[in-house]
């Protein structure tokens, strides 16, 4: 039987509606949640992401300001802006759109964001808290994956989860979150000896690789939940995931489409974290 679709677009809309209600409640208490987004340079993809984030904030009633800085901005100038935003009581969340130009040390900039405003969840201190199970912000894309699982009624407890990819923004944090939810977790990467064999063990398979349709139906266990984080452009217009959807959907119990799976969840989780930051 073909897999059921985990509809990220629909679930993200539900999350946004919940956030909108929470924003109204906060406003009634005199708290106006605010997000600052910082964009350095003119990377076209980053401009689209920033515009979408700003628009999503407006739709749920979150105050948002976008700081667009020229590509030649110095690291010192950027750090000064972060410092101002850290102190600004209107702003509860700060997001620096990555990648930054080469002359700026990304790590230094992310680390400069106040921990209580790090709604992207990328700072070393936040990641440390995630690992030890302390209060933290869940990074948006991994958090989106977990909410998709939850909405499908899938409890990771005791299940075998395989995460393909070990990046700091997706693979590692999602593995930690699955572990915290009591899954038995395997993390695969480019040096994994037999990727297919590892994947075939998975009750929950998360693909965050960035290689178009790397994971095919024969690598999937019957009935598995498949979450495809990958966004790969092939040809002029077509977007595909890291999973070969047609063959995988013949084996999986649940599967996310690309587009319309994890993608829409990422921004919804950013809104959720911003409201959470304001609530705290
Ligand atoms: P990275 O390039 O940072 O990491 C990719 C990971 O995949 C690395 O750990 C790499 O291993 C591993 N890998 C590469 N090739 C193979 C292979 N053949 N077999 C097994 N593992 C392999 O990517 P990101 O984590 O940033 O992103 C992954 C994908 O998710 C991309 O398509 C990106 O566009 C998408 N994405 C989507 C988001 C969304 O909102 N939906 C948000 C963020 C990302 P190694 O460490 O050994 O090099």
């Amino acid at each position: 039987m073909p897999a059921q679709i985990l509809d990220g677009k629909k679930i993200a809309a539900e999350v946004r509606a919940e956030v909108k209600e929470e924003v109204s409640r906060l406003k009634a208490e005199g708290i106006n949640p605010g997000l600052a987004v910082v964009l350095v340079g003119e990377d076209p993809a980053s401009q689209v992401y920033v515009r979408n984030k700003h628009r999503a904030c407006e739709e749920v009633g979150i105050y948002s300001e976008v700081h667009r800085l020229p590509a030649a901005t110095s690291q010192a100038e950027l750090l000064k802006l972060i410092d101002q935003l850290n102190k600004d009581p209107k702003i509860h969340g700060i997001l620096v759109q990555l990648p930054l130009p080469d002359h700026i040390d990304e790590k230094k900039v992310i680390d400069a964001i106040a921990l209580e405003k790090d709604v992207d969840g990328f700072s070393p201190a936040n990641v440390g808290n995630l690992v030890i199970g302390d209060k933290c912000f869940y990074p948006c894309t991994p958090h989106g994956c977990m909410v998709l699982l939850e909405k499908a009624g899938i409890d990771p407890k005791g299940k075998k989860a395989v995460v393909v990819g070990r990046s700091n923004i997706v693979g590692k944090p999602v593995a930690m979150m699955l572990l915290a939810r009591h899954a038995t977790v395997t993390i695969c990467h480019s040096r994994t000896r037999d990727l297919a064999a590892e994947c075939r063990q998975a009750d929950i398979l998360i693909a965050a690789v960035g290689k178009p349709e790397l994971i095919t139906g024969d690598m999937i266990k019957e009935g598995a939940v498949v979450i495809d984080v990958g966004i790969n452009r092939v040809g002029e217009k077509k977007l595909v995931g890291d999973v070969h959807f047609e063959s995988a959907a013949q084996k999986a119990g649940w599967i996310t489409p690309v587009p319309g799976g994890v993608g829409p969840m990422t921004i919804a989780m950013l809104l959720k974290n911003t409201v959470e930051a304001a609530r705290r």
Side-chain angles (χ1 to χ4, degrees), residues 10-271:
K10 182 166 158 253
I11 296 171
E14 287 168 22
V15 172
R16 287 200 306 272
E18 286 162 24
V19 169
K20 198 171 178 174
E21 279 176 27
E22 177 67 3
V23 170
S24 304
R25 275 195 293 275
L26 281 169
K27 283 186 175 169
E29 294 170 33
I31 304 164
N32 197 357
L35 175 73
V37 181
V38 181
L39 172 63
V40 185
E42 272 97 44
D43 178 65
S46 293
Q47 287 182 354
V48 174
Y49 295 145
V50 165
R51 209 178 309 132
N52 289 346
K53 286 167 187 173
H54 179 63
R55 201 174 297 149
C57 282
E58 283 186 334
E59 275 167 22
V60 298
I62 292 176
Y63 166 74
S64 113
E65 54 187 40
V66 180
H67 297 262
R68 289 188 176 80
L69 308 178
T73 303
S74 72
Q75 180 167 306
E77 285 170 299
L78 181 56
L79 288 172
K80 197 171 151 210
L81 172 64
I82 303 282
D83 184 51
Q84 281 164 10
L85 295 169
N86 280 341
K87 292 175 181 147
D88 185 343
K90 287 197 306 301
I91 297 302
H92 302 96
I94 302 170
L95 181 152
V96 177
Q97 185 65 47
L98 303 178
L100 289 170
D102 289 343
H103 66 278
I104 297 177
D105 182 347
E106 246 169 48
K107 260 166 52 192
K108 265 214 174 92
V109 172
I110 300 301
D111 205 17
I113 299 171
L115 189 55
E116 66 277 12
K117 297 193 179 188
D118 178 23
V119 287
D120 239 351
F122 291 163
S123 70
N126 189 73
V127 174
N129 284 341
L130 174 68
V131 173
I132 63 175
D134 233 341
K135 194 166 92 175
C136 65
F137 289 110
Y138 291 141
C140 300
T141 301
H143 193 188
C145 297
M146 298 304 288
V147 171
L148 284 171
L149 286 178
E150 193 183 304
K151 296 272 181 177
I154 295 137
D155 183 357
K157 188 158 109 190
K159 298 208 169 64
K160 172 101 186 155
V162 174
V163 178
V164 190
R166 57 174 164 179
S167 72
N168 290 330
I169 63 167
V170 191
K172 276 183 206 159
V174 84
M176 283 303 137
M177 290 162 82
L178 286 161
L179 185 62
R181 299 289 309 279
H182 312 297
T184 301
V185 184
T186 300
I187 307 174
C188 300
H189 45 76
S190 65
R191 267 69 140 207
T192 296
R193 206 171 291 151
D194 189 348
L195 182 66
E198 300 293 345
C199 290
R200 267 183 226 118
Q201 304 272 320
D203 302 308
I204 297 170
L205 180 65
I206 312 253
V209 191
K211 295 266 182 297
E213 301 177 327
L214 175 76
I215 292 163
T216 46
D218 59 309
M219 295 162 77
I220 287 165
K221 181 175 171 178
E222 199 75 48
V225 184
V226 178
I227 306 236
D228 188 354
V229 182
I231 302 178
N232 308 291
R233 192 168 289 282
V234 289
E236 271 291 288
K237 286 219 177 87
K238 199 174 174 218
L239 286 184
V240 299
D242 293 338
V243 177
H244 183 262
F245 184 86
E246 285 74 23
S247 61
Q250 295 306 315
K251 295 285 283 297
W254 288 92
I255 189 166
T256 58
V258 175
V262 177
M265 296 300 290
T266 299
I267 290 187
M269 293 305 125
L270 171 68
L271 302 175

